[in-house]
Amino acid sequence: MKSTLLLLAVILSLALLAAAQTVNTFCANNLACAVTAAWSFSSIQPKSMAGGGYLFADQFSGADASVKVNACIAQVISNGGGKCDASGLYGAQTISQEIDVGNHAQNPVTLILPQNSTWTVSGITNGTSCAIKQFSQSSILGPGTPGSSAMVIHAGVNTNNLDSLYCTEAAPNGNGSYIRAEGFQLFNTNGATMANGLMNVQALFDGSEFKNLVVANYGGLGLNVHGLVCCGTHFTNVASNGNHVANSIPVQVTLTVSSEVAFYNLSADHPGTGKNAIVITGVGNGSAVRFFHTYSEGNNADTTTANVSAGSTAGPIEFYGITCNDNGSSTAYCVDIPNSGTPNVNIYGMQQIVGGSANCLNDHYAGRLTLARAGTCLSS
């Protein structure tokens, strides 16, 4: 019985394949007649795609990834907002023009980045463009995890000259942007010029989020957080590395107006000789920067420069758990508080890795300082 059913199934399948060339239908008086045509479903699309709410960048014409993505985003904005899926632009791709995720009018846009891809800058030399510029009410969603190279934005050759590889809008409507960016790596190993750091972050409002990012600028400023960065803006699982190259500063925070920003699980490593891994300045009245579970490694040849320079005109600057890891010959302090302004620095839990430097805190200012559980590695 089973053999008979199997044979019938095979016969039916063959009949259906034949019908792809000649389709039987009914003509007048219910008599069968032959129509030599094949079924076509080319016009059938899910409603969301037909309405323009979800478009695919690789389906747009253009010489490279940046041209296609910009065309896709422009169409999404024209349709009233939605998602541009660039997943099809995987592998090696080129960025020849700034990719604008959203616009000054703050139309809602989401850009979905591909897996296993490197987008490399080519021929951008004006010193003002970013490889990717993100506007308010937009999201960039990549596949990367902390330390991942699943999606890389590469600065290309050393003759390229940009504002940064990634930036937010400097003067958005309402003075601040609401954005989300996650899951990609910014990479500059060849010495391309970045006027405002590899990642230039400014003018942000409540709850703006950066997550699972790698910033690697070998020879310059990595993550640059400055100006108005307010009201719950936060960075989670961000690693910034200078690879010990001269002039590398992995993280710099300069809050010149009333701002509040937090870092969770930040890793800031391998600055250039004479440079700090984290530099904090200008944190005035009404501003605050807080670090939760911070890790830092110093320069492999510089045995005296502190990992963190925590300077401000008021503050507070607060660390809730910070670990520094310097080699055994180092006398570098984990945190240095320079003699400037009236800094308010609070540290709750600090350590140097066993076998490394024995120095934790160097406070040059006899001002407002709260220190908890720092052991004996103190200097004033």
Side-chain angles (χ1 to χ4, degrees):
M1 183 64 178
K2 292 182 179 179
S3 299
T4 302
L5 292 174
L6 179 60
L7 179 61
L8 289 173
V10 172
I11 294 172
L12 180 59
S13 299
L14 292 173
L16 290 173
L17 288 172
Q21 299 300 321
T22 302
V23 180
N24 290 323
T25 185
F26 287 96
C27 298
N29 301 321
N30 291 328
L31 296 176
C33 60
V35 179
T36 56
W39 295 104
S40 175
F41 300 96
S42 60
S43 63
I44 299 176
Q45 293 182 343
K47 184 177 180 181
S48 62
M49 295 182 187
Y54 199 121
L55 301 176
F56 293 91
D58 65 313
Q59 299 303 306
F60 286 79
S61 61
D64 57 56
S66 61
V67 179
K68 293 179 180 180
V69 171
N70 278 331
C72 178
I73 291 174
Q75 187 61 56
V76 165
I77 291 173
S78 179
N79 292 342
K83 296 180 179 178
C84 172
D85 190 334
S87 298
L89 297 173
Y90 55 86
Q93 302 287 340
T94 298
I95 298 175
S96 64
Q97 60 182 233
E98 179 179 278
I99 297 173
D100 289 336
V101 183
N103 60 8
H104 185 67
Q106 302 185 359
N107 294 104
V109 171
T110 295
L111 173 63
I112 299 174
L113 297 174
Q115 186 95 24
N116 190 27
S117 184
T118 298
W119 293 5
T120 302
V121 173
S122 177
I124 301 179
T125 59
N126 58 25
T128 59
S129 295
C130 309
I132 295 181
K133 185 174 185 178
Q134 188 168 7
F135 294 80
S136 187
Q137 305 299 326
S138 68
S139 299
I140 300 176
L141 305 181
T145 58
S148 168
S149 58
M151 173 61 204
V152 177
I153 310 298
H154 198 293
V157 298
N158 62 2
T159 54
N160 289 326
N161 184 359
L162 298 88
D163 172 272
S164 51
L165 278 190
Y166 168 93
C167 68
T168 58
E169 189 180 14
N173 284 331
N175 298 321
S177 296
Y178 299 88
I179 64 175
R180 175 187 176 193
E182 64 178 75
F184 54 90
Q185 179 178 131
L186 303 172
F187 205 46
N188 182 22
T189 58
N190 297 327
T193 300
M194 300 289 149
N196 289 298
L198 205 61
M199 184 172 181
N200 179 15
V201 175
Q202 60 183 316
L204 297 179
F205 276 163
D206 312 51
S208 291
E209 179 180 37
F210 301 87
K211 185 177 181 181
N212 296 341
L213 301 175
V214 176
V215 181
N217 194 13
Y218 297 173
L221 177 56
L223 173 58
N224 182 19
V225 181
H226 62 105
L228 174 65
V229 185
C230 188
C231 315
T233 293
H234 56 282
F235 297 79
T236 303
N237 301 338
V238 174
S240 188
N241 179 22
N243 200 40
H244 312 285
V245 178
N247 299 315
S248 295
I249 301 174
V251 178
Q252 181 171 289
V253 181
T254 309
L255 305 181
T256 56
V257 294
S258 295
S259 301
E260 184 175 345
V261 60
F263 295 84
Y264 299 88
N265 306 323
L266 173 69
S267 179
D269 307 308
H270 308 149
T273 301
K275 302 295 184 180
N276 309 107
I278 303 174
V279 179
I280 309 162
T281 60
V283 184
N285 289 319
S287 298
V289 56
R290 295 180 173 91
F291 297 83
F292 301 84
H293 309 296
T294 303
Y295 176 82
S296 177
E297 293 183 5
N299 182 273
N300 58 2
D302 181 350
T303 61
T304 58
T305 304
N307 293 59
V308 179
S309 176
S312 67
T313 57
I317 300 169
E318 296 180 341
F319 291 90
Y320 296 86
I322 177 171
T323 297
C324 292
N325 187 359
D326 298 296
N327 63 55
S329 63
S330 176
T331 60
Y333 284 89
C334 184
V335 177
D336 183 86
I337 302 174
N339 185 12
S340 60
T342 55
N344 183 358
V345 180
N346 305 290
I347 305 173
Y348 307 92
M350 177 194 296
Q351 69 169 334
Q352 285 271 19
I353 292 294
V354 174
S357 174
N359 296 321
C360 281
L361 179 70
N362 194 7
D363 181 10
H364 301 275
Y365 180 80
R368 295 169 290 173
L369 172 68
T370 302
L371 182 69
R373 297 188 305 278
T376 59
C377 45
L378 306 176
S379 176
S380 295

Coordinates of all heavy atoms in Angstrom, one line a residue, residues 95-127:
I95 N 32.9 52.8 0.4 CA 32.2 54.1 0.7 C 32.9 55.2 0.1 O 34.0 55.6 0.4 CB 32.2 54.3 2.3 CG1 31.5 53.1 3.0 CG2 31.6 55.6 2.6 CD1 31.6 53.3 4.5
S96 N 32.3 55.8 -1.0 CA 32.9 56.9 -1.7 C 32.2 58.2 -1.4 O 32.7 59.3 -1.8 CB 32.8 56.7 -3.2 OG 31.4 56.6 -3.6
Q97 N 31.1 58.2 -0.6 CA 30.4 59.4 -0.2 C 29.8 59.2 1.2 O 29.6 58.0 1.6 CB 29.3 59.7 -1.2 CG 28.3 58.7 -1.3 CD 27.2 59.1 -2.3 OE1 26.0 59.0 -2.1 NE2 27.6 59.4 -3.6
E98 N 29.6 60.3 1.9 CA 29.0 60.1 3.3 C 27.7 59.5 3.2 O 26.8 59.8 2.4 CB 28.9 61.5 3.9 CG 28.2 61.6 5.3 CD 28.1 63.0 5.8 OE1 29.1 63.5 6.3 OE2 27.0 63.6 5.7
I99 N 27.5 58.5 4.1 CA 26.2 57.8 4.2 C 25.4 58.6 5.3 O 25.8 58.6 6.5 CB 26.3 56.3 4.6 CG1 27.1 55.6 3.5 CG2 25.0 55.7 4.9 CD1 27.4 54.1 3.8
D100 N 24.3 59.1 4.9 CA 23.4 59.9 5.9 C 22.3 59.0 6.3 O 21.4 58.7 5.5 CB 22.9 61.1 5.2 CG 24.0 62.2 5.0 OD1 25.0 62.1 5.8 OD2 23.8 63.1 4.1
V101 N 22.3 58.6 7.6 CA 21.2 57.8 8.2 C 20.2 58.7 8.8 O 20.3 59.2 9.9 CB 21.8 56.8 9.2 CG1 20.6 55.9 9.7 CG2 22.9 56.0 8.6
G102 N 19.1 59.0 8.0 CA 18.2 60.0 8.4 C 18.5 61.4 7.8 O 19.2 61.5 6.8
N103 N 17.9 62.4 8.3 CA 18.1 63.8 7.8 C 17.8 64.8 8.9 O 17.4 64.5 10.0 CB 17.2 64.0 6.6 CG 15.7 63.9 6.8 OD1 15.3 63.7 8.0 ND2 14.9 63.8 5.8
H104 N 18.0 66.1 8.5 CA 17.9 67.2 9.5 C 16.4 67.3 9.9 O 16.2 67.8 11.0 CB 18.4 68.5 8.9 CG 18.4 69.6 9.8 ND1 19.2 69.7 10.9 CD2 17.6 70.8 9.8 CE1 19.0 70.8 11.6 NE2 18.0 71.5 10.9
A105 N 15.5 66.9 9.1 CA 14.1 67.0 9.4 C 13.7 65.9 10.4 O 12.5 65.9 10.8 CB 13.2 66.9 8.1
Q106 N 14.6 65.0 10.7 CA 14.4 63.9 11.7 C 13.3 62.9 11.3 O 12.5 62.5 12.1 CB 14.1 64.5 13.0 CG 15.2 65.5 13.5 CD 15.0 66.0 14.9 OE1 14.1 65.7 15.6 NE2 16.0 66.8 15.4
N107 N 13.2 62.6 10.0 CA 12.4 61.5 9.6 C 12.9 60.1 10.1 O 14.1 59.9 10.1 CB 12.3 61.4 8.1 CG 11.6 62.6 7.4 OD1 12.3 63.5 6.9 ND2 10.3 62.7 7.5
P108 N 12.0 59.3 10.6 CA 12.5 58.0 11.3 C 13.1 57.0 10.3 O 12.4 56.7 9.3 CB 11.2 57.5 12.0 CG 10.1 58.1 11.2 CD 10.6 59.4 10.7
V109 N 14.3 56.6 10.5 CA 15.0 55.7 9.6 C 15.8 54.7 10.4 O 16.4 55.0 11.5 CB 16.0 56.4 8.7 CG1 16.8 55.4 7.9 CG2 15.2 57.3 7.7
T110 N 15.7 53.4 10.0 CA 16.6 52.4 10.6 C 17.5 51.8 9.5 O 17.0 51.4 8.4 CB 15.8 51.2 11.2 OG1 15.1 51.8 12.3 CG2 16.7 50.1 11.7
L111 N 18.8 51.8 9.7 CA 19.7 51.1 8.7 C 20.2 49.8 9.3 O 20.7 49.8 10.5 CB 20.9 52.0 8.5 CG 22.0 51.4 7.6 CD1 21.6 51.0 6.2 CD2 23.3 52.3 7.6
I112 N 20.0 48.7 8.6 CA 20.4 47.4 9.1 C 21.7 47.0 8.3 O 21.7 47.0 7.1 CB 19.3 46.3 8.8 CG1 18.0 46.7 9.6 CG2 19.8 44.9 9.2 CD1 16.9 45.8 9.3
L113 N 22.7 46.7 9.1 CA 24.1 46.5 8.5 C 24.2 45.0 8.3 O 23.6 44.1 8.9 CB 25.1 47.0 9.4 CG 25.2 48.5 9.6 CD1 26.2 48.9 10.7 CD2 25.4 49.2 8.3
P114 N 25.1 44.6 7.3 CA 25.3 43.2 7.0 C 26.3 42.5 8.0 O 27.0 43.1 8.8 CB 25.9 43.2 5.6 CG 26.7 44.5 5.6 CD 25.8 45.5 6.4
Q115 N 26.3 41.2 7.8 CA 27.2 40.3 8.6 C 28.4 40.0 7.7 O 28.3 40.0 6.5 CB 26.5 39.0 8.9 CG 27.3 38.0 9.8 CD 26.9 38.2 11.3 OE1 25.8 38.6 11.6 NE2 27.8 37.8 12.2
N116 N 29.6 39.8 8.3 CA 30.8 39.4 7.6 C 31.1 40.4 6.5 O 31.2 40.0 5.3 CB 30.6 38.0 7.1 CG 31.9 37.5 6.5 OD1 33.0 37.9 6.9 ND2 31.8 36.6 5.6
S117 N 31.2 41.7 6.8 CA 31.4 42.7 5.8 C 32.4 43.7 6.2 O 32.5 44.1 7.4 CB 30.1 43.3 5.4 OG 30.3 44.3 4.4
T118 N 33.2 44.3 5.3 CA 34.0 45.5 5.5 C 33.7 46.5 4.5 O 33.9 46.3 3.3 CB 35.5 45.1 5.4 OG1 35.8 44.1 6.4 CG2 36.4 46.3 5.6
W119 N 33.3 47.7 4.9 CA 33.0 48.8 4.1 C 34.2 49.8 4.2 O 34.4 50.3 5.3 CB 31.7 49.5 4.4 CG 30.5 48.7 4.2 CD1 30.4 47.4 3.8 CD2 29.1 49.1 4.3 NE1 29.1 47.0 3.7 CE2 28.3 48.0 4.0 CE3 28.5 50.3 4.7 CZ2 26.9 48.1 4.1 CZ3 27.1 50.4 4.8 CH2 26.3 49.3 4.5
T120 N 34.9 50.0 3.1 CA 36.1 50.8 3.2 C 36.0 52.1 2.5 O 35.5 52.2 1.4 CB 37.3 50.0 2.5 OG1 37.4 48.8 3.2 CG2 38.6 50.8 2.6
V121 N 36.4 53.2 3.2 CA 36.4 54.5 2.6 C 37.3 54.6 1.4 O 38.5 54.1 1.5 CB 36.7 55.6 3.7 CG1 36.8 57.0 3.1 CG2 35.7 55.6 4.8
S122 N 36.9 55.3 0.4 CA 37.7 55.5 -0.8 C 37.5 56.9 -1.3 O 36.4 57.3 -1.7 CB 37.4 54.5 -1.9 OG 38.2 54.7 -3.0
G123 N 38.6 57.7 -1.3 CA 38.6 59.0 -2.0 C 37.8 60.1 -1.3 O 37.5 61.1 -2.0
I124 N 37.5 60.0 0.0 CA 36.9 61.1 0.7 C 38.1 61.9 1.4 O 38.8 61.4 2.3 CB 35.9 60.6 1.8 CG1 34.8 59.8 1.1 CG2 35.4 61.8 2.6 CD1 33.8 59.3 2.1
T125 N 38.3 63.1 0.9 CA 39.5 63.9 1.4 C 39.1 65.3 1.8 O 40.0 66.2 2.0 CB 40.5 64.0 0.2 OG1 39.9 64.6 -0.9 CG2 41.0 62.6 -0.1
N126 N 37.8 65.7 1.9 CA 37.4 67.1 2.2 C 37.6 67.5 3.7 O 37.4 68.6 4.0 CB 36.0 67.3 1.8 CG 35.0 66.4 2.4 OD1 35.2 65.9 3.5 ND2 33.9 66.1 1.7
G127 N 37.8 66.5 4.6 CA 38.1 66.8 6.0 C 36.8 67.1 6.8 O 36.9 67.4 8.0

